[in-house]
Amino acid sequence: MANKRASSNLINDPLWYKDAVIYQVHIKSFFDANNDGIGDFPGLISKLDYIADLGANTVWLLPFYPSPRRDDGYDIADYRGVHPDYGTLADVKRFISEAHQRGLRVITELVINHTSDQHPWFQKARHAKAGSTARDYYVWSDSDQKYAGTRIIFLDTETSNWTWDPVAGQYFWHRFYAHQPDLNFDNPQVIKEVLSVMRYWLDMGIDGLRLDAVPYLIERDGTNNENLPETHQILKQIRAEIDANYPDRMLLAEANQWPEDTRPYFGDSDGIKGDECHMAFHFPLMPRLYLALAQEDRLPITDILRRTPPIPAHCQWAIFLRNHDELTLEMVTDKEREALWNYYAPDRRARINLGIRRRLAPLMEGDRRRIELLNSVLLSMRGTPTLYYGDEIGMGDNIDLNDRDGVRTPMQWSIDLNGGFSRANPASLVLAPITDPLYGYQAVNVEAQALDPHSLLNWTRRLLAVRKQQKAFGRGSLNMLSPRNRRVLAYVREFTDALGNTQTIVCVANVSRSAQTVELDLSTWAGRVPVEMLSTHPFPPIGPLPYSLTLAPYGFYWFLLVSENAMPDHPPQADRLPQQELSVIS
Ligand code: BGC
């Protein structure tokens, strides 16, 4: 239906998500335009240039709908509105249009597994007659022993997936907090409602929908109630609606599962398009990036990639280092979890559920080399990278805050009051900004880093600019190299365009704290010259022998392989590589 993109500067390509760099923001914590102490849409709009200048081309918004916010907005009380603290529907429309004018796409959340218990559907359901359509919007039982084989996700707060409702006189089912009843997807009316909500936002111009907590839509006796075939049938219905009416939009599955269990979320029709979600997060890869650093061994990464099945050609993984939740350790073995907890969260306050509630910079102990190394892998690995707001300046966290609030604190713009986030009385802020000596806004902020050519912010901008020049990163194949030195991770990204031109990029990363040498078998490309992409400096040509490199501690290289006869005296390719301009961004 209505496609409100007439005045946009969006590239017209239905596979846009393959070349995306996603920037995840929490409206409440980004910028407060009306100085009431909480971030809002007008504030976010005023910072869109910052996001575009960084080099991201897609903005992912955390839930902004009316909600009691007991789960920071994932407890939705009205699917079609905007929380008054964040603005109005008119603000959302203006935001979408302003983003599109800058060539930025917008991803929002479609939280369909559950609602808030304040949602009118639930209020109606608990008063409705047992067995009626209205009651059956949710999942009820007379016993809390049903579906006993189902794990509890929020282990720190919940002891059961059932909660007694005295009004209904029955238990209701919830995979998350007890104030978040699960919708009942066996009720066709629920599916109709969900499709209608989806159309509502897509008609407004939203480009992509993150499908929150999708593995848990359907329950069946005698199963673990995750990834059931009936859940996949629901997703196929949702996708059919997209294909029929919104062919340039994207569905992104949040399925925190093993690769073989996530693969079906892409679905399959002809092996090319898939018939469920266009994208899915690769959850098991994420903790293994951290494990590789902790163990100074590439094996955790290569192992999980080997276990990752191929996906349909038009589909794409979404990859990330950190997000708004805890660094989840659900998809590792018990032994690996212990190792990760001991290494990255010796202070127990940093642990929550099966994870670690810390941001990237503190996890890396502020070590620029490690932060850069992990970002280099994130931005060169197969999949669409997702950056979490604030990590581009190395923001810290506050493990003394409740739940996951410690990684959702206000963006640090400057040394001004409240870190430049808001002019409100500090006592009335939605969350206190970080003020500790290492990561506080006086030490870590956008304004200072924009002025500093060597800052993490400018480094990130430069890396993103370099990445953008090569389609191979978003679209290319990935082949692991297997040098004998396991402290070095090495892979080749390759992409052939419609004219038959092939780009080849070799990525090499030292996951250890000491300098390393490595010999790479690059004989397939003998005669080519590796041009180091950040400096545009040519390295010695590849010969018939193994290619030797030395890497500094946590060092990395991205090499574009250029044909030797294309560079008689100096590297002509290199001249075409981007020189990132430094400018003040605010
Ligand atoms: C979101 C969490 C949220 C949970 C329950 C998750 O998938 O990422 O932030 O707490 O859903 O709504």
Side-chain angles (χ1 to χ4, degrees), residues 23 30 47 49-56 368 371-372 375 379 387-395 411-414 443-465 534 580-586:
Y23 187 80
F30 209 54
K47 295 296 183 185
D49 287 338
Y50 168 79
I51 298 174
D53 284 348
L54 179 65
R368 259 296 278 278
I371 295 172
E372 290 183 5
N375 272 304
L379 295 184
L387 313 175
Y388 186 51
Y389 84 93
D391 281 351
E392 74 277 18
I393 55 169
M395 253 173 74
M411 181 69 177
Q412 297 173 192
W413 295 105
S414 67
V444 174
N445 66 67
V446 171
E447 189 175 71
Q449 292 201 16
L451 292 168
D452 174 2
H454 306 291
S455 66
L456 181 59
L457 175 61
N458 277 319
W459 180 86
T460 308
R461 293 174 70 200
R462 179 161 169 72
L463 201 67
L464 283 167
L534 278 163
Q580 174 75 23
E581 278 173 31
L582 297 179
S583 59
V584 180
I585 47 182
S586 58

Short mmCIF file of all heavy atoms in Angstrom, two decimals, residues 23 30 47 49-56 368 371-372 375 379 387-395 411-414 443-465 534 580-586:
data_model
loop_
_atom_site.label_atom_id
_atom_site.label_comp_id
_atom_site.label_asym_id
_atom_site.label_seq_id
_atom_site.Cartn_x
_atom_site.Cartn_y
_atom_site.Cartn_z
N TYR A 23 22.65 1.15 13.14
CA TYR A 23 22.99 1.86 14.38
C TYR A 23 21.78 1.77 15.29
O TYR A 23 20.69 2.23 14.94
CB TYR A 23 23.32 3.32 14.04
CG TYR A 23 23.86 4.14 15.19
CD1 TYR A 23 25.20 4.04 15.57
CD2 TYR A 23 23.05 5.03 15.88
CE1 TYR A 23 25.70 4.82 16.62
CE2 TYR A 23 23.54 5.81 16.92
CZ TYR A 23 24.88 5.69 17.29
OH TYR A 23 25.38 6.46 18.32
N PHE A 30 18.95 9.10 23.86
CA PHE A 30 19.83 9.66 22.83
C PHE A 30 19.97 11.17 22.94
O PHE A 30 21.06 11.68 23.13
CB PHE A 30 19.34 9.23 21.45
CG PHE A 30 20.46 9.14 20.46
CD1 PHE A 30 21.58 8.37 20.72
CD2 PHE A 30 20.42 9.84 19.27
CE1 PHE A 30 22.65 8.29 19.83
CE2 PHE A 30 21.47 9.77 18.35
CZ PHE A 30 22.58 9.00 18.64
N LYS A 47 19.82 14.70 15.79
CA LYS A 47 21.11 13.99 15.79
C LYS A 47 21.24 13.03 14.60
O LYS A 47 22.17 12.21 14.57
CB LYS A 47 21.27 13.21 17.10
CG LYS A 47 21.36 14.10 18.33
CD LYS A 47 22.59 15.00 18.31
CE LYS A 47 22.71 15.82 19.58
NZ LYS A 47 23.84 16.77 19.52
N ASP A 49 22.11 13.71 11.62
CA ASP A 49 23.34 13.99 10.86
C ASP A 49 24.54 13.30 11.51
O ASP A 49 25.45 12.85 10.82
CB ASP A 49 23.59 15.49 10.77
CG ASP A 49 22.61 16.15 9.81
OD1 ASP A 49 22.06 15.44 8.94
OD2 ASP A 49 22.39 17.37 9.94
N TYR A 50 24.51 13.24 12.83
CA TYR A 50 25.60 12.55 13.52
C TYR A 50 25.66 11.07 13.08
O TYR A 50 26.74 10.54 12.80
CB TYR A 50 25.39 12.65 15.04
CG TYR A 50 26.31 11.74 15.83
CD1 TYR A 50 27.63 12.09 16.06
CD2 TYR A 50 25.84 10.51 16.32
CE1 TYR A 50 28.48 11.24 16.77
CE2 TYR A 50 26.69 9.67 17.02
CZ TYR A 50 28.00 10.03 17.26
OH TYR A 50 28.84 9.19 17.94
N ILE A 51 24.49 10.45 13.03
CA ILE A 51 24.44 9.03 12.68
C ILE A 51 24.88 8.83 11.22
O ILE A 51 25.65 7.92 10.90
CB ILE A 51 23.02 8.46 12.92
CG1 ILE A 51 22.66 8.58 14.40
CG2 ILE A 51 22.92 7.01 12.46
CD1 ILE A 51 21.22 8.19 14.75
N ALA A 52 24.40 9.73 10.34
CA ALA A 52 24.78 9.62 8.93
C ALA A 52 26.29 9.87 8.77
O ALA A 52 26.96 9.14 8.03
CB ALA A 52 23.97 10.60 8.10
N ASP A 53 26.82 10.87 9.47
CA ASP A 53 28.26 11.17 9.37
C ASP A 53 29.12 10.03 9.90
O ASP A 53 30.25 9.83 9.46
CB ASP A 53 28.61 12.44 10.16
CG ASP A 53 28.18 13.69 9.42
OD1 ASP A 53 27.82 13.58 8.23
OD2 ASP A 53 28.18 14.78 10.04
N LEU A 54 28.60 9.34 10.87
CA LEU A 54 29.34 8.19 11.41
C LEU A 54 29.56 7.15 10.31
O LEU A 54 30.59 6.48 10.26
CB LEU A 54 28.57 7.58 12.58
CG LEU A 54 29.16 6.35 13.25
CD1 LEU A 54 30.49 6.69 13.93
CD2 LEU A 54 28.19 5.77 14.29
N GLY A 55 28.58 7.02 9.42
CA GLY A 55 28.72 6.05 8.33
C GLY A 55 27.70 4.93 8.42
O GLY A 55 27.74 3.99 7.64
N ALA A 56 26.78 5.04 9.38
CA ALA A 56 25.68 4.07 9.42
C ALA A 56 24.66 4.48 8.37
O ALA A 56 24.59 5.65 7.99
CB ALA A 56 25.05 4.05 10.80
N ARG A 368 42.13 0.27 23.64
CA ARG A 368 41.79 0.67 22.26
C ARG A 368 42.11 -0.43 21.26
O ARG A 368 41.38 -0.65 20.29
CB ARG A 368 42.59 1.91 21.87
CG ARG A 368 41.90 3.25 21.91
CD ARG A 368 40.76 3.41 20.96
NE ARG A 368 41.10 3.77 19.59
CZ ARG A 368 41.36 5.00 19.17
NH1 ARG A 368 41.35 6.00 20.00
NH2 ARG A 368 41.63 5.23 17.90
N ILE A 371 39.38 -2.98 21.38
CA ILE A 371 38.12 -2.43 20.86
C ILE A 371 38.20 -2.36 19.33
O ILE A 371 37.28 -2.75 18.61
CB ILE A 371 37.87 -1.02 21.46
CG1 ILE A 371 37.67 -1.12 22.96
CG2 ILE A 371 36.67 -0.36 20.79
CD1 ILE A 371 37.59 0.22 23.68
N GLU A 372 39.33 -1.90 18.83
CA GLU A 372 39.48 -1.78 17.37
C GLU A 372 39.49 -3.17 16.73
O GLU A 372 38.88 -3.38 15.67
CB GLU A 372 40.78 -1.03 17.03
CG GLU A 372 40.69 0.45 17.39
CD GLU A 372 41.92 1.25 16.99
OE1 GLU A 372 42.84 0.69 16.35
OE2 GLU A 372 41.97 2.45 17.33
N ASN A 375 36.01 -4.51 16.50
CA ASN A 375 35.25 -3.77 15.48
C ASN A 375 35.72 -4.17 14.08
O ASN A 375 34.91 -4.23 13.15
CB ASN A 375 35.41 -2.27 15.68
CG ASN A 375 34.36 -1.73 16.63
OD1 ASN A 375 33.17 -1.91 16.42
ND2 ASN A 375 34.80 -1.11 17.71
N LEU A 379 33.12 -5.57 11.34
CA LEU A 379 32.86 -4.86 10.08
C LEU A 379 33.39 -5.61 8.85
O LEU A 379 33.16 -5.16 7.73
CB LEU A 379 33.46 -3.46 10.12
CG LEU A 379 32.84 -2.51 11.16
CD1 LEU A 379 33.45 -1.12 11.05
CD2 LEU A 379 31.34 -2.42 11.03
N LEU A 387 25.74 -1.65 15.21
CA LEU A 387 26.51 -0.92 16.22
C LEU A 387 25.57 -0.43 17.30
O LEU A 387 24.46 0.02 17.00
CB LEU A 387 27.22 0.28 15.60
CG LEU A 387 27.98 0.05 14.29
CD1 LEU A 387 28.52 1.38 13.76
CD2 LEU A 387 29.14 -0.92 14.52
N TYR A 388 26.00 -0.46 18.53
CA TYR A 388 25.17 -0.02 19.64
C TYR A 388 25.57 1.40 20.01
O TYR A 388 26.75 1.67 20.26
CB TYR A 388 25.35 -0.97 20.82
CG TYR A 388 24.42 -0.68 21.97
CD1 TYR A 388 23.06 -0.54 21.75
CD2 TYR A 388 24.91 -0.55 23.26
CE1 TYR A 388 22.20 -0.27 22.81
CE2 TYR A 388 24.05 -0.29 24.32
CZ TYR A 388 22.70 -0.13 24.09
OH TYR A 388 21.85 0.14 25.12
N TYR A 389 24.59 2.30 20.08
CA TYR A 389 24.89 3.72 20.32
C TYR A 389 25.87 3.88 21.48
O TYR A 389 25.76 3.20 22.49
CB TYR A 389 23.59 4.51 20.60
CG TYR A 389 23.13 4.44 22.05
CD1 TYR A 389 23.51 5.41 22.98
CD2 TYR A 389 22.36 3.39 22.51
CE1 TYR A 389 23.12 5.35 24.32
CE2 TYR A 389 21.96 3.32 23.83
CZ TYR A 389 22.35 4.29 24.73
OH TYR A 389 21.97 4.21 26.06
N GLY A 390 26.80 4.78 21.29
CA GLY A 390 27.75 5.08 22.37
C GLY A 390 29.01 4.23 22.31
O GLY A 390 30.06 4.65 22.78
N ASP A 391 28.92 3.03 21.70
CA ASP A 391 30.12 2.20 21.64
C ASP A 391 31.15 2.82 20.69
O ASP A 391 32.35 2.54 20.80
CB ASP A 391 29.78 0.77 21.20
CG ASP A 391 29.22 -0.04 22.36
OD1 ASP A 391 29.25 0.45 23.51
OD2 ASP A 391 28.73 -1.17 22.13
N GLU A 392 30.70 3.67 19.76
CA GLU A 392 31.64 4.31 18.83
C GLU A 392 32.50 5.36 19.51
O GLU A 392 33.50 5.81 18.95
CB GLU A 392 30.89 4.91 17.63
CG GLU A 392 30.11 6.20 17.91
CD GLU A 392 28.71 5.95 18.51
OE1 GLU A 392 28.47 4.84 19.01
OE2 GLU A 392 27.87 6.87 18.46
N ILE A 393 32.13 5.77 20.74
CA ILE A 393 33.01 6.68 21.49
C ILE A 393 33.59 5.97 22.72
O ILE A 393 34.26 6.58 23.54
CB ILE A 393 32.29 7.99 21.91
CG1 ILE A 393 31.00 7.70 22.70
CG2 ILE A 393 32.01 8.86 20.69
CD1 ILE A 393 30.40 8.95 23.35
N GLY A 394 33.29 4.69 22.86
CA GLY A 394 33.82 3.93 23.99
C GLY A 394 33.12 4.26 25.29
O GLY A 394 33.75 4.37 26.35
N MET A 395 31.79 4.43 25.24
CA MET A 395 31.05 4.74 26.46
C MET A 395 31.14 3.60 27.47
O MET A 395 31.25 2.42 27.12
CB MET A 395 29.57 5.00 26.12
CG MET A 395 29.19 6.46 26.22
SD MET A 395 27.53 6.77 25.62
CE MET A 395 26.51 6.12 26.93
N MET A 411 23.38 9.14 26.06
CA MET A 411 24.49 9.38 25.13
C MET A 411 25.30 10.56 25.63
O MET A 411 24.75 11.56 26.09
CB MET A 411 23.91 9.65 23.75
CG MET A 411 24.94 9.87 22.68
SD MET A 411 25.85 8.36 22.29
CE MET A 411 26.90 8.94 20.98
N GLN A 412 26.61 10.45 25.50
CA GLN A 412 27.51 11.48 26.02
C GLN A 412 27.97 12.39 24.88
O GLN A 412 28.87 12.04 24.13
CB GLN A 412 28.66 10.79 26.75
CG GLN A 412 28.13 10.00 27.96
CD GLN A 412 29.12 9.14 28.69
OE1 GLN A 412 28.73 8.32 29.52
NE2 GLN A 412 30.41 9.29 28.42
N TRP A 413 27.33 13.55 24.80
CA TRP A 413 27.60 14.45 23.67
C TRP A 413 28.72 15.42 23.94
O TRP A 413 29.45 15.81 23.03
CB TRP A 413 26.32 15.22 23.31
CG TRP A 413 25.22 14.32 22.81
CD1 TRP A 413 24.11 13.93 23.48
CD2 TRP A 413 25.16 13.68 21.53
NE1 TRP A 413 23.35 13.08 22.70
CE2 TRP A 413 23.97 12.92 21.49
CE3 TRP A 413 25.98 13.67 20.40
CZ2 TRP A 413 23.59 12.16 20.39
CZ3 TRP A 413 25.61 12.91 19.30
CH2 TRP A 413 24.44 12.17 19.30
N SER A 414 28.84 15.88 25.20
CA SER A 414 29.83 16.93 25.48
C SER A 414 30.08 16.99 26.99
O SER A 414 29.51 16.20 27.75
CB SER A 414 29.29 18.28 25.00
OG SER A 414 28.19 18.64 25.80
N ALA A 443 35.16 12.73 30.38
CA ALA A 443 36.31 12.10 29.73
C ALA A 443 35.95 11.52 28.36
O ALA A 443 36.80 11.47 27.47
CB ALA A 443 36.85 10.97 30.63
N VAL A 444 34.72 11.06 28.19
CA VAL A 444 34.32 10.38 26.95
C VAL A 444 33.10 11.10 26.40
O VAL A 444 32.01 11.01 26.98
CB VAL A 444 33.95 8.90 27.25
CG1 VAL A 444 33.40 8.23 26.00
CG2 VAL A 444 35.14 8.14 27.81
N ASN A 445 33.28 11.85 25.32
CA ASN A 445 32.11 12.49 24.72
C ASN A 445 32.35 12.79 23.24
O ASN A 445 33.49 12.82 22.77
CB ASN A 445 31.71 13.76 25.49
CG ASN A 445 32.75 14.85 25.40
OD1 ASN A 445 32.99 15.40 24.33
ND2 ASN A 445 33.41 15.15 26.52
N VAL A 446 31.25 12.98 22.53
CA VAL A 446 31.31 13.15 21.07
C VAL A 446 32.07 14.42 20.70
O VAL A 446 32.92 14.41 19.80
CB VAL A 446 29.88 13.21 20.49
CG1 VAL A 446 29.89 13.63 19.02
CG2 VAL A 446 29.18 11.86 20.66
N GLU A 447 31.78 15.51 21.39
CA GLU A 447 32.38 16.77 20.98
C GLU A 447 33.91 16.71 21.00
O GLU A 447 34.57 17.09 20.03
CB GLU A 447 31.89 17.90 21.91
CG GLU A 447 32.30 19.26 21.43
CD GLU A 447 31.70 20.36 22.31
OE1 GLU A 447 32.14 20.51 23.46
OE2 GLU A 447 30.77 21.02 21.85
N ALA A 448 34.45 16.19 22.09
CA ALA A 448 35.91 16.12 22.19
C ALA A 448 36.47 15.15 21.14
O ALA A 448 37.47 15.43 20.48
CB ALA A 448 36.31 15.67 23.59
N GLN A 449 35.79 14.02 20.96
CA GLN A 449 36.32 13.02 20.03
C GLN A 449 36.22 13.48 18.58
O GLN A 449 37.02 13.08 17.73
CB GLN A 449 35.63 11.68 20.24
CG GLN A 449 35.99 11.07 21.57
CD GLN A 449 35.75 9.58 21.63
OE1 GLN A 449 35.59 8.91 20.62
NE2 GLN A 449 35.72 9.05 22.84
N ALA A 450 35.22 14.30 18.28
CA ALA A 450 35.10 14.80 16.91
C ALA A 450 36.29 15.68 16.56
O ALA A 450 36.72 15.75 15.42
CB ALA A 450 33.79 15.56 16.76
N LEU A 451 36.85 16.35 17.59
CA LEU A 451 37.98 17.26 17.36
C LEU A 451 39.32 16.53 17.32
O LEU A 451 40.32 17.11 16.90
CB LEU A 451 38.02 18.30 18.48
CG LEU A 451 36.86 19.30 18.51
CD1 LEU A 451 36.88 20.07 19.82
CD2 LEU A 451 36.95 20.23 17.31
N ASP A 452 39.33 15.32 17.79
CA ASP A 452 40.58 14.59 17.95
C ASP A 452 40.75 13.61 16.78
O ASP A 452 40.01 12.63 16.68
CB ASP A 452 40.53 13.83 19.29
CG ASP A 452 41.72 12.92 19.49
OD1 ASP A 452 42.61 12.90 18.61
OD2 ASP A 452 41.74 12.21 20.51
N PRO A 453 41.73 13.85 15.90
CA PRO A 453 41.87 12.97 14.73
C PRO A 453 42.13 11.51 15.12
O PRO A 453 41.89 10.60 14.33
CB PRO A 453 43.05 13.55 13.96
CG PRO A 453 43.64 14.61 14.80
CD PRO A 453 42.70 14.95 15.93
N HIS A 454 42.63 11.29 16.34
CA HIS A 454 42.98 9.92 16.72
C HIS A 454 41.93 9.28 17.62
O HIS A 454 42.15 8.21 18.17
CB HIS A 454 44.34 9.93 17.43
CG HIS A 454 45.41 10.59 16.63
ND1 HIS A 454 45.90 10.04 15.47
CD2 HIS A 454 46.01 11.80 16.77
CE1 HIS A 454 46.79 10.86 14.93
NE2 HIS A 454 46.87 11.93 15.70
N SER A 455 40.79 9.92 17.77
CA SER A 455 39.79 9.38 18.69
C SER A 455 39.17 8.10 18.15
O SER A 455 39.23 7.81 16.95
CB SER A 455 38.68 10.41 18.91
OG SER A 455 37.97 10.61 17.69
N LEU A 456 38.53 7.36 19.05
CA LEU A 456 37.82 6.15 18.63
C LEU A 456 36.70 6.51 17.65
O LEU A 456 36.45 5.80 16.68
CB LEU A 456 37.24 5.43 19.87
CG LEU A 456 36.48 4.13 19.59
CD1 LEU A 456 37.38 3.11 18.90
CD2 LEU A 456 35.90 3.55 20.88
N LEU A 457 36.05 7.64 17.90
CA LEU A 457 34.97 8.07 17.01
C LEU A 457 35.49 8.26 15.59
O LEU A 457 34.91 7.73 14.63
CB LEU A 457 34.35 9.37 17.53
CG LEU A 457 33.29 10.00 16.63
CD1 LEU A 457 32.10 9.07 16.45
CD2 LEU A 457 32.82 11.33 17.21
N ASN A 458 36.57 8.98 15.44
CA ASN A 458 37.08 9.22 14.09
C ASN A 458 37.67 7.96 13.48
O ASN A 458 37.60 7.76 12.27
CB ASN A 458 38.07 10.39 14.08
CG ASN A 458 37.33 11.70 14.00
OD1 ASN A 458 36.35 11.81 13.26
ND2 ASN A 458 37.74 12.69 14.77
N TRP A 459 38.23 7.11 14.32
CA TRP A 459 38.72 5.83 13.81
C TRP A 459 37.54 5.01 13.26
O TRP A 459 37.62 4.41 12.20
CB TRP A 459 39.44 5.07 14.93
CG TRP A 459 39.96 3.75 14.47
CD1 TRP A 459 41.15 3.50 13.86
CD2 TRP A 459 39.26 2.50 14.55
NE1 TRP A 459 41.24 2.16 13.56
CE2 TRP A 459 40.10 1.53 13.96
CE3 TRP A 459 38.03 2.10 15.04
CZ2 TRP A 459 39.75 0.18 13.87
CZ3 TRP A 459 37.66 0.77 14.94
CH2 TRP A 459 38.52 -0.18 14.37
N THR A 460 36.44 5.00 14.03
CA THR A 460 35.27 4.21 13.60
C THR A 460 34.70 4.78 12.30
O THR A 460 34.34 4.04 11.39
CB THR A 460 34.19 4.23 14.71
OG1 THR A 460 34.79 3.85 15.94
CG2 THR A 460 33.04 3.31 14.39
N ARG A 461 34.64 6.11 12.22
CA ARG A 461 34.14 6.74 10.99
C ARG A 461 34.99 6.33 9.80
O ARG A 461 34.48 6.05 8.71
CB ARG A 461 34.16 8.26 11.13
CG ARG A 461 33.19 8.80 12.15
CD ARG A 461 33.37 10.28 12.35
NE ARG A 461 32.94 11.03 11.18
CZ ARG A 461 33.33 12.27 10.92
NH1 ARG A 461 34.17 12.89 11.70
NH2 ARG A 461 32.87 12.90 9.86
N ARG A 462 36.30 6.31 10.03
CA ARG A 462 37.20 5.98 8.93
C ARG A 462 37.02 4.53 8.50
O ARG A 462 36.96 4.21 7.32
CB ARG A 462 38.64 6.24 9.37
CG ARG A 462 39.62 5.91 8.29
CD ARG A 462 40.98 6.57 8.49
NE ARG A 462 41.95 6.00 7.57
CZ ARG A 462 41.94 6.23 6.28
NH1 ARG A 462 41.06 7.03 5.74
NH2 ARG A 462 42.83 5.66 5.49
N LEU A 463 36.91 3.63 9.50
CA LEU A 463 36.76 2.22 9.16
C LEU A 463 35.46 1.98 8.39
O LEU A 463 35.42 1.23 7.42
CB LEU A 463 36.78 1.38 10.44
CG LEU A 463 37.13 -0.10 10.23
CD1 LEU A 463 38.57 -0.26 9.77
CD2 LEU A 463 36.91 -0.91 11.51
N LEU A 464 34.42 2.67 8.81
CA LEU A 464 33.13 2.53 8.11
C LEU A 464 33.22 3.09 6.70
O LEU A 464 32.64 2.52 5.76
CB LEU A 464 32.02 3.24 8.90
CG LEU A 464 31.53 2.48 10.13
CD1 LEU A 464 30.67 3.37 11.02
CD2 LEU A 464 30.74 1.24 9.72
N ALA A 465 33.95 4.19 6.54
CA ALA A 465 34.09 4.77 5.19
C ALA A 465 34.86 3.81 4.28
O ALA A 465 34.51 3.64 3.11
CB ALA A 465 34.80 6.11 5.29
N LEU A 534 43.38 0.65 5.19
CA LEU A 534 43.25 1.85 6.01
C LEU A 534 44.30 2.90 5.65
O LEU A 534 44.04 4.10 5.68
CB LEU A 534 43.37 1.49 7.49
CG LEU A 534 42.07 0.98 8.09
CD1 LEU A 534 42.32 0.26 9.40
CD2 LEU A 534 41.10 2.14 8.32
N GLN A 580 39.33 9.68 4.74
CA GLN A 580 38.26 10.19 5.60
C GLN A 580 38.55 11.63 6.02
O GLN A 580 39.60 11.95 6.54
CB GLN A 580 38.16 9.30 6.84
CG GLN A 580 37.20 9.80 7.87
CD GLN A 580 35.76 9.56 7.44
OE1 GLN A 580 35.48 8.70 6.64
NE2 GLN A 580 34.86 10.36 7.97
N GLU A 581 37.62 12.48 5.74
CA GLU A 581 37.79 13.86 6.18
C GLU A 581 37.41 13.95 7.65
O GLU A 581 36.48 13.33 8.09
CB GLU A 581 36.87 14.78 5.40
CG GLU A 581 37.43 15.14 4.06
CD GLU A 581 36.40 15.91 3.27
OE1 GLU A 581 35.59 16.61 3.89
OE2 GLU A 581 36.42 15.77 2.04
N LEU A 582 38.14 14.76 8.35
CA LEU A 582 37.79 14.97 9.74
C LEU A 582 37.03 16.26 9.85
O LEU A 582 37.42 17.29 9.32
CB LEU A 582 39.06 15.05 10.59
CG LEU A 582 39.89 13.78 10.59
CD1 LEU A 582 41.13 13.98 11.44
CD2 LEU A 582 39.08 12.63 11.13
N SER A 583 35.91 16.19 10.47
CA SER A 583 35.16 17.43 10.66
C SER A 583 34.47 17.34 12.00
O SER A 583 34.29 16.27 12.56
CB SER A 583 34.13 17.59 9.56
OG SER A 583 33.26 16.49 9.57
N VAL A 584 34.09 18.46 12.50
CA VAL A 584 33.40 18.47 13.79
C VAL A 584 31.97 18.03 13.55
O VAL A 584 31.29 18.56 12.67
CB VAL A 584 33.42 19.86 14.41
CG1 VAL A 584 32.71 19.86 15.75
CG2 VAL A 584 34.86 20.33 14.57
N ILE A 585 31.53 17.01 14.28
CA ILE A 585 30.16 16.58 14.13
C ILE A 585 29.47 16.71 15.46
O ILE A 585 30.08 16.49 16.50
CB ILE A 585 30.09 15.13 13.59
CG1 ILE A 585 31.05 14.23 14.35
CG2 ILE A 585 30.39 15.09 12.13
CD1 ILE A 585 31.07 12.81 13.85
N SER A 586 28.27 17.14 15.42
CA SER A 586 27.58 17.29 16.70
C SER A 586 26.15 16.82 16.55
O SER A 586 25.67 16.58 15.47
CB SER A 586 27.61 18.72 17.15
OG SER A 586 27.01 19.51 16.14
#
